[in-house]
Amino acid sequence: MIFKDFDISVTNCNHSQYVEQIITEIAQSAKARGIGVANKSKEHLLERINSGNSVIAININSKKWAGFCYIDLWNLDKFIVHSGLIVNPIYRNYGLAKVIKKTIFDYSKKKYPDYRIFGITNSAAVMKINSDLGYTPVSFAEITQDIEFWKGCKSCVNYEILKQKKYKNCLCTALLYNNIKQKK
């Protein structure tokens, strides 16, 4: 899909060249904004990129990465989470985050129609995007209870709060799009 000067598409192995830049920007952006973020390893993101479980925006003219978001599956209870939504600072304020999120949202619904889609965030902008897509705020009890998911939050500055609350709540807001409910 072309949006302004950006090609937004599902990833493949050709996009692995951008992984270091994406990881660096996710960490720097979170630090600059003073927010919590669940950092993922290079191997984790490469697996998402190479398996086509992520979306990337590339500037058509410069061939620089402009934005990114990936899918994690929690098969035990059939949940999908969209994580790592990031826009390269030089391309912010173009509306890319919204288009990337919509692209990965629509792709997830097609690829995994029997999964519920959720997110946790403390970003007002991401909450607005998710709300516009039909997500609703829910308690943490309504999203995946897979302990492996919560282990991913260990790198977040708010992890101790989450742990003290026995993974029932945190400073993030849980949002759910119940794909199954929407079909009925």
Side-chain angles (χ1 to χ4, degrees):
M1 161 207 228
I2 302 299
F3 171 74
K4 298 185 180 179
D5 290 334
F6 305 98
D7 179 17
I8 301 168
S9 60
V10 173
T11 58
N12 60 54
C13 59
N14 295 327
H15 298 112
S16 61
Q17 65 182 306
Y18 300 107
V19 73
E20 294 283 353
Q21 296 166 41
I22 292 167
I23 288 172
T24 299
E25 186 51 45
I26 289 171
Q28 288 177 348
S29 181
K31 185 177 180 182
R33 293 178 300 168
I35 63 167
V37 67
N39 292 320
K40 297 296 182 183
S41 69
K42 176 181 177 179
E43 293 73 27
H44 185 85
L45 290 188
L46 280 173
E47 196 282 323
R48 298 307 172 274
I49 290 168
N50 293 333
S51 67
N53 271 342
S54 54
V55 167
I56 194 164
I58 304 293
N59 181 283
I60 295 167
N61 301 313
S62 70
K63 304 298 183 217
K64 289 183 179 180
W65 78 275
F68 180 77
C69 189
Y70 66 91
I71 298 168
D72 270 334
L73 301 173
W74 303 98
N75 293 324
L76 184 64
D77 45 12
K78 292 202 165 198
F79 278 100
I80 293 173
V81 65
H82 297 145
S83 297
L85 178 61
I86 189 73
V87 174
N88 187 325
I90 61 175
Y91 299 118
R92 290 187 180 153
N93 300 314
Y94 284 86
L96 271 175
K98 184 181 271 188
V99 177
I100 291 167
K101 185 70 177 197
K102 173 88 168 101
T103 303
I104 203 161
F105 178 74
D106 290 342
Y107 176 66
S108 295
K109 289 192 310 182
K110 286 179 192 161
K111 188 172 181 179
Y112 304 103
D114 296 330
Y115 281 63
R116 291 167 286 170
I117 304 168
F118 78 98
I120 62 170
T121 187
N122 55 16
S123 163
V126 173
M127 283 187 243
K128 170 76 170 108
I129 292 169
N130 287 352
S131 178
D132 289 349
L133 290 170
Y135 289 70
T136 56
V138 295
S139 73
F140 278 32
E142 294 179 61
I143 61 174
T144 188
Q145 298 303 299
D146 191 324
I147 194 66
E148 291 302 312
F149 171 77
W150 299 110
K151 284 181 182 177
C153 294
K154 281 185 178 180
S155 60
C156 177
V157 296
N158 300 316
Y159 183 69
E160 287 305 313
I161 295 168
L162 176 67
K163 201 165 82 174
Q164 287 171 357
K165 301 290 186 176
K166 298 186 180 3
Y167 309 99
K168 301 279 187 237
N169 60 22
C170 190
L171 298 181
C172 285
T173 298
L175 298 131
L176 177 68
Y177 178 85
N178 194 337
N179 205 27
I180 292 138
K181 182 180 173 185
Q182 299 290 356
K183 282 187 202 176
K184 293 177 183 176

Short mmCIF file of all heavy atoms in Angstrom, two decimals, residues 36-78:
data_model
loop_
_atom_site.label_atom_id
_atom_site.label_comp_id
_atom_site.label_asym_id
_atom_site.label_seq_id
_atom_site.Cartn_x
_atom_site.Cartn_y
_atom_site.Cartn_z
N GLY A 36 7.29 3.30 29.84
CA GLY A 36 7.70 1.91 29.89
C GLY A 36 7.55 1.28 28.52
O GLY A 36 6.69 1.66 27.74
N VAL A 37 8.44 0.35 28.23
CA VAL A 37 8.35 -0.39 26.97
C VAL A 37 8.94 -1.77 27.19
O VAL A 37 9.90 -1.94 27.94
CB VAL A 37 9.06 0.36 25.82
CG1 VAL A 37 10.56 0.42 26.03
CG2 VAL A 37 8.74 -0.26 24.47
N ALA A 38 8.31 -2.75 26.58
CA ALA A 38 8.83 -4.12 26.64
C ALA A 38 9.79 -4.30 25.46
O ALA A 38 9.37 -4.44 24.33
CB ALA A 38 7.69 -5.12 26.57
N ASN A 39 11.08 -4.25 25.75
CA ASN A 39 12.08 -4.42 24.70
C ASN A 39 12.16 -5.87 24.25
O ASN A 39 12.06 -6.77 25.06
CB ASN A 39 13.46 -3.97 25.20
CG ASN A 39 13.52 -2.49 25.44
OD1 ASN A 39 12.97 -1.71 24.67
ND2 ASN A 39 14.18 -2.08 26.51
N LYS A 40 12.34 -6.07 22.99
CA LYS A 40 12.47 -7.42 22.42
C LYS A 40 13.86 -7.56 21.82
O LYS A 40 14.47 -6.58 21.38
CB LYS A 40 11.41 -7.67 21.35
CG LYS A 40 9.99 -7.63 21.86
CD LYS A 40 9.73 -8.73 22.87
CE LYS A 40 8.29 -8.70 23.32
NZ LYS A 40 7.99 -9.67 24.32
N SER A 41 14.33 -8.77 21.77
CA SER A 41 15.66 -9.04 21.23
C SER A 41 15.66 -8.91 19.70
O SER A 41 14.62 -8.97 19.05
CB SER A 41 16.11 -10.45 21.60
OG SER A 41 15.33 -11.41 20.90
N LYS A 42 16.87 -8.78 19.18
CA LYS A 42 17.05 -8.74 17.73
C LYS A 42 16.50 -10.01 17.11
O LYS A 42 15.81 -9.96 16.08
CB LYS A 42 18.54 -8.58 17.42
CG LYS A 42 18.87 -8.62 15.95
CD LYS A 42 20.37 -8.49 15.74
CE LYS A 42 20.71 -8.60 14.26
NZ LYS A 42 22.16 -8.44 14.04
N GLU A 43 16.75 -11.15 17.73
CA GLU A 43 16.28 -12.44 17.21
C GLU A 43 14.74 -12.49 17.16
O GLU A 43 14.17 -12.99 16.21
CB GLU A 43 16.82 -13.60 18.06
CG GLU A 43 18.33 -13.79 17.96
CD GLU A 43 19.14 -12.72 18.70
OE1 GLU A 43 18.64 -12.14 19.69
OE2 GLU A 43 20.28 -12.46 18.27
N HIS A 44 14.12 -11.95 18.20
CA HIS A 44 12.65 -11.94 18.26
C HIS A 44 12.08 -11.13 17.10
O HIS A 44 11.17 -11.58 16.40
CB HIS A 44 12.20 -11.35 19.61
CG HIS A 44 10.73 -11.41 19.83
ND1 HIS A 44 10.09 -12.51 20.33
CD2 HIS A 44 9.76 -10.48 19.60
CE1 HIS A 44 8.80 -12.28 20.41
NE2 HIS A 44 8.57 -11.05 19.97
N LEU A 45 12.62 -9.93 16.89
CA LEU A 45 12.11 -9.09 15.80
C LEU A 45 12.44 -9.66 14.43
O LEU A 45 11.61 -9.59 13.52
CB LEU A 45 12.63 -7.67 15.92
CG LEU A 45 12.09 -6.85 17.09
CD1 LEU A 45 12.54 -5.40 17.00
CD2 LEU A 45 10.58 -6.92 17.19
N LEU A 46 13.63 -10.26 14.29
CA LEU A 46 13.97 -10.88 13.02
C LEU A 46 13.00 -12.01 12.68
O LEU A 46 12.60 -12.16 11.52
CB LEU A 46 15.41 -11.41 13.03
CG LEU A 46 16.50 -10.38 12.81
CD1 LEU A 46 17.87 -11.00 13.03
CD2 LEU A 46 16.40 -9.77 11.42
N GLU A 47 12.63 -12.78 13.68
CA GLU A 47 11.67 -13.86 13.45
C GLU A 47 10.33 -13.30 12.98
O GLU A 47 9.70 -13.83 12.07
CB GLU A 47 11.50 -14.71 14.72
CG GLU A 47 10.85 -16.05 14.48
CD GLU A 47 9.34 -15.99 14.31
OE1 GLU A 47 8.70 -15.17 15.00
OE2 GLU A 47 8.80 -16.73 13.48
N ARG A 48 9.89 -12.20 13.58
CA ARG A 48 8.62 -11.58 13.18
C ARG A 48 8.73 -11.02 11.76
O ARG A 48 7.80 -11.14 10.97
CB ARG A 48 8.22 -10.45 14.15
CG ARG A 48 7.96 -10.89 15.59
CD ARG A 48 6.96 -12.01 15.66
NE ARG A 48 6.81 -12.59 16.97
CZ ARG A 48 7.57 -13.55 17.49
NH1 ARG A 48 8.59 -14.05 16.83
NH2 ARG A 48 7.31 -14.04 18.68
N ILE A 49 9.85 -10.39 11.47
CA ILE A 49 10.06 -9.83 10.13
C ILE A 49 10.09 -10.93 9.08
O ILE A 49 9.37 -10.89 8.08
CB ILE A 49 11.36 -8.99 10.09
CG1 ILE A 49 11.18 -7.70 10.91
CG2 ILE A 49 11.76 -8.67 8.65
CD1 ILE A 49 12.47 -6.93 11.18
N ASN A 50 10.91 -11.95 9.30
CA ASN A 50 11.08 -13.01 8.31
C ASN A 50 9.84 -13.88 8.13
O ASN A 50 9.64 -14.44 7.06
CB ASN A 50 12.30 -13.88 8.67
CG ASN A 50 13.59 -13.10 8.55
OD1 ASN A 50 13.70 -12.16 7.78
ND2 ASN A 50 14.58 -13.48 9.33
N SER A 51 9.01 -14.00 9.16
CA SER A 51 7.81 -14.83 9.06
C SER A 51 6.60 -14.06 8.53
O SER A 51 5.52 -14.62 8.37
CB SER A 51 7.46 -15.42 10.43
OG SER A 51 7.06 -14.39 11.32
N GLY A 52 6.77 -12.76 8.26
CA GLY A 52 5.66 -11.96 7.77
C GLY A 52 4.67 -11.60 8.85
O GLY A 52 3.51 -11.34 8.57
N ASN A 53 5.14 -11.55 10.09
CA ASN A 53 4.27 -11.15 11.20
C ASN A 53 4.63 -9.75 11.68
O ASN A 53 4.69 -9.47 12.88
CB ASN A 53 4.33 -12.16 12.34
CG ASN A 53 3.29 -13.25 12.17
OD1 ASN A 53 2.34 -13.10 11.41
ND2 ASN A 53 3.47 -14.35 12.87
N SER A 54 4.85 -8.88 10.73
CA SER A 54 5.06 -7.47 11.04
C SER A 54 4.79 -6.64 9.79
O SER A 54 4.67 -7.16 8.69
CB SER A 54 6.49 -7.21 11.56
OG SER A 54 7.46 -7.70 10.68
N VAL A 55 4.67 -5.34 10.02
CA VAL A 55 4.41 -4.39 8.94
C VAL A 55 5.47 -3.32 9.03
O VAL A 55 5.85 -2.89 10.12
CB VAL A 55 2.99 -3.78 9.09
CG1 VAL A 55 2.81 -2.58 8.18
CG2 VAL A 55 1.93 -4.83 8.81
N ILE A 56 5.97 -2.90 7.87
CA ILE A 56 7.00 -1.87 7.82
C ILE A 56 6.61 -0.80 6.81
O ILE A 56 5.95 -1.10 5.80
CB ILE A 56 8.38 -2.48 7.48
CG1 ILE A 56 9.51 -1.49 7.77
CG2 ILE A 56 8.42 -3.01 6.05
CD1 ILE A 56 10.89 -2.12 7.83
N ALA A 57 6.99 0.42 7.10
CA ALA A 57 6.82 1.53 6.16
C ALA A 57 8.22 1.95 5.71
O ALA A 57 9.11 2.16 6.54
CB ALA A 57 6.11 2.70 6.82
N ILE A 58 8.40 2.05 4.41
CA ILE A 58 9.68 2.44 3.82
C ILE A 58 9.44 3.69 2.98
O ILE A 58 8.49 3.74 2.19
CB ILE A 58 10.25 1.33 2.91
CG1 ILE A 58 10.40 0.01 3.66
CG2 ILE A 58 11.58 1.76 2.27
CD1 ILE A 58 11.44 -0.01 4.74
N ASN A 59 10.30 4.69 3.16
CA ASN A 59 10.21 5.88 2.34
C ASN A 59 10.59 5.50 0.91
O ASN A 59 11.66 4.93 0.68
CB ASN A 59 11.14 6.98 2.87
CG ASN A 59 11.05 8.24 2.04
OD1 ASN A 59 11.60 8.31 0.94
ND2 ASN A 59 10.34 9.23 2.55
N ILE A 60 9.72 5.78 -0.03
CA ILE A 60 9.92 5.38 -1.42
C ILE A 60 11.16 6.02 -2.02
O ILE A 60 11.89 5.39 -2.79
CB ILE A 60 8.67 5.73 -2.27
CG1 ILE A 60 7.48 4.91 -1.80
CG2 ILE A 60 8.92 5.50 -3.76
CD1 ILE A 60 6.15 5.38 -2.35
N ASN A 61 11.44 7.27 -1.66
CA ASN A 61 12.56 8.00 -2.26
C ASN A 61 13.90 7.66 -1.62
O ASN A 61 14.86 7.38 -2.32
CB ASN A 61 12.30 9.51 -2.17
CG ASN A 61 11.01 9.88 -2.87
OD1 ASN A 61 10.76 9.46 -3.99
ND2 ASN A 61 10.16 10.64 -2.20
N SER A 62 13.96 7.66 -0.30
CA SER A 62 15.24 7.45 0.39
C SER A 62 15.53 5.99 0.72
O SER A 62 16.65 5.64 1.06
CB SER A 62 15.27 8.26 1.70
OG SER A 62 14.37 7.68 2.63
N LYS A 63 14.49 5.15 0.66
CA LYS A 63 14.58 3.73 1.03
C LYS A 63 14.88 3.53 2.52
O LYS A 63 15.25 2.45 2.96
CB LYS A 63 15.62 2.96 0.19
CG LYS A 63 15.41 3.07 -1.29
CD LYS A 63 14.10 2.47 -1.70
CE LYS A 63 13.94 2.53 -3.21
NZ LYS A 63 12.62 2.80 -3.66
N LYS A 64 14.69 4.58 3.34
CA LYS A 64 14.86 4.47 4.78
C LYS A 64 13.58 3.90 5.40
O LYS A 64 12.49 4.17 4.90
CB LYS A 64 15.14 5.84 5.42
CG LYS A 64 16.50 6.39 5.10
CD LYS A 64 16.73 7.70 5.83
CE LYS A 64 18.12 8.23 5.50
NZ LYS A 64 18.39 9.48 6.19
N TRP A 65 13.74 3.17 6.50
CA TRP A 65 12.56 2.68 7.21
C TRP A 65 11.89 3.89 7.85
O TRP A 65 12.54 4.81 8.33
CB TRP A 65 12.90 1.60 8.25
CG TRP A 65 13.46 2.14 9.52
CD1 TRP A 65 14.77 2.44 9.77
CD2 TRP A 65 12.74 2.47 10.71
NE1 TRP A 65 14.91 2.94 11.04
CE2 TRP A 65 13.68 2.97 11.65
CE3 TRP A 65 11.40 2.41 11.07
CZ2 TRP A 65 13.31 3.39 12.92
CZ3 TRP A 65 11.04 2.83 12.34
CH2 TRP A 65 11.98 3.31 13.25
N ALA A 66 10.58 3.89 7.81
CA ALA A 66 9.83 5.02 8.34
C ALA A 66 8.97 4.63 9.54
O ALA A 66 8.68 5.46 10.40
CB ALA A 66 8.95 5.62 7.25
N GLY A 67 8.56 3.36 9.60
CA GLY A 67 7.74 2.91 10.71
C GLY A 67 7.65 1.40 10.75
O GLY A 67 7.97 0.73 9.76
N PHE A 68 7.16 0.89 11.89
CA PHE A 68 7.17 -0.56 12.09
C PHE A 68 6.19 -0.95 13.19
O PHE A 68 5.94 -0.17 14.12
CB PHE A 68 8.59 -0.98 12.50
CG PHE A 68 8.77 -2.45 12.74
CD1 PHE A 68 8.89 -3.33 11.69
CD2 PHE A 68 8.84 -2.95 14.03
CE1 PHE A 68 9.08 -4.69 11.90
CE2 PHE A 68 9.02 -4.30 14.26
CZ PHE A 68 9.14 -5.18 13.19
N CYS A 69 5.67 -2.17 13.10
CA CYS A 69 4.85 -2.77 14.15
C CYS A 69 4.85 -4.28 13.91
O CYS A 69 4.89 -4.71 12.76
CB CYS A 69 3.42 -2.23 14.10
SG CYS A 69 2.37 -2.70 15.50
N TYR A 70 4.81 -5.07 15.00
CA TYR A 70 4.83 -6.52 14.82
C TYR A 70 3.73 -7.21 15.61
O TYR A 70 3.12 -6.63 16.49
CB TYR A 70 6.20 -7.10 15.17
CG TYR A 70 6.60 -6.99 16.62
CD1 TYR A 70 6.29 -8.00 17.53
CD2 TYR A 70 7.30 -5.89 17.09
CE1 TYR A 70 6.66 -7.90 18.86
CE2 TYR A 70 7.68 -5.79 18.41
CZ TYR A 70 7.37 -6.80 19.29
OH TYR A 70 7.72 -6.70 20.61
N ILE A 71 3.51 -8.48 15.25
CA ILE A 71 2.48 -9.33 15.85
C ILE A 71 3.16 -10.38 16.73
O ILE A 71 4.12 -11.01 16.31
CB ILE A 71 1.69 -10.08 14.76
CG1 ILE A 71 0.95 -9.11 13.84
CG2 ILE A 71 0.73 -11.09 15.38
CD1 ILE A 71 0.39 -9.78 12.58
N ASP A 72 2.62 -10.57 17.92
CA ASP A 72 2.98 -11.72 18.75
C ASP A 72 1.71 -12.52 18.98
O ASP A 72 0.65 -11.95 19.23
CB ASP A 72 3.56 -11.30 20.10
CG ASP A 72 5.08 -11.14 20.07
OD1 ASP A 72 5.73 -11.79 19.23
OD2 ASP A 72 5.61 -10.38 20.89
N LEU A 73 1.84 -13.84 18.90
CA LEU A 73 0.71 -14.74 19.10
C LEU A 73 0.82 -15.42 20.45
O LEU A 73 1.91 -15.82 20.86
CB LEU A 73 0.70 -15.85 18.04
CG LEU A 73 0.61 -15.41 16.60
CD1 LEU A 73 0.77 -16.61 15.68
CD2 LEU A 73 -0.70 -14.72 16.32
N TRP A 74 -0.31 -15.56 21.11
CA TRP A 74 -0.39 -16.29 22.36
C TRP A 74 -1.37 -17.42 22.12
O TRP A 74 -2.57 -17.30 22.34
CB TRP A 74 -0.76 -15.34 23.52
CG TRP A 74 0.26 -14.26 23.55
CD1 TRP A 74 0.16 -13.02 23.02
CD2 TRP A 74 1.59 -14.39 24.02
NE1 TRP A 74 1.35 -12.36 23.14
CE2 TRP A 74 2.25 -13.18 23.77
CE3 TRP A 74 2.31 -15.42 24.65
CZ2 TRP A 74 3.59 -12.97 24.10
CZ3 TRP A 74 3.64 -15.20 24.98
CH2 TRP A 74 4.26 -13.99 24.72
N ASN A 75 -0.84 -18.50 21.55
CA ASN A 75 -1.66 -19.61 21.04
C ASN A 75 -2.48 -20.31 22.10
O ASN A 75 -3.55 -20.82 21.81
CB ASN A 75 -0.77 -20.64 20.33
CG ASN A 75 -0.18 -20.08 19.06
OD1 ASN A 75 -0.83 -19.31 18.37
ND2 ASN A 75 1.05 -20.43 18.77
N LEU A 76 -1.99 -20.36 23.32
CA LEU A 76 -2.69 -21.07 24.37
C LEU A 76 -4.14 -20.61 24.49
O LEU A 76 -5.05 -21.40 24.63
CB LEU A 76 -1.95 -20.89 25.71
CG LEU A 76 -2.51 -21.63 26.90
CD1 LEU A 76 -2.41 -23.14 26.68
CD2 LEU A 76 -1.74 -21.24 28.16
N ASP A 77 -4.33 -19.28 24.41
CA ASP A 77 -5.69 -18.76 24.55
C ASP A 77 -6.13 -17.91 23.36
O ASP A 77 -7.07 -17.15 23.44
CB ASP A 77 -5.84 -17.98 25.85
CG ASP A 77 -4.68 -17.04 26.13
OD1 ASP A 77 -3.86 -16.80 25.23
OD2 ASP A 77 -4.59 -16.55 27.24
N LYS A 78 -5.43 -18.06 22.23
CA LYS A 78 -5.79 -17.42 20.96
C LYS A 78 -5.91 -15.89 21.05
O LYS A 78 -6.94 -15.31 20.72
CB LYS A 78 -7.05 -18.04 20.40
CG LYS A 78 -6.83 -19.47 19.95
CD LYS A 78 -7.87 -19.88 18.95
CE LYS A 78 -7.38 -21.15 18.29
NZ LYS A 78 -8.04 -21.44 17.07
#
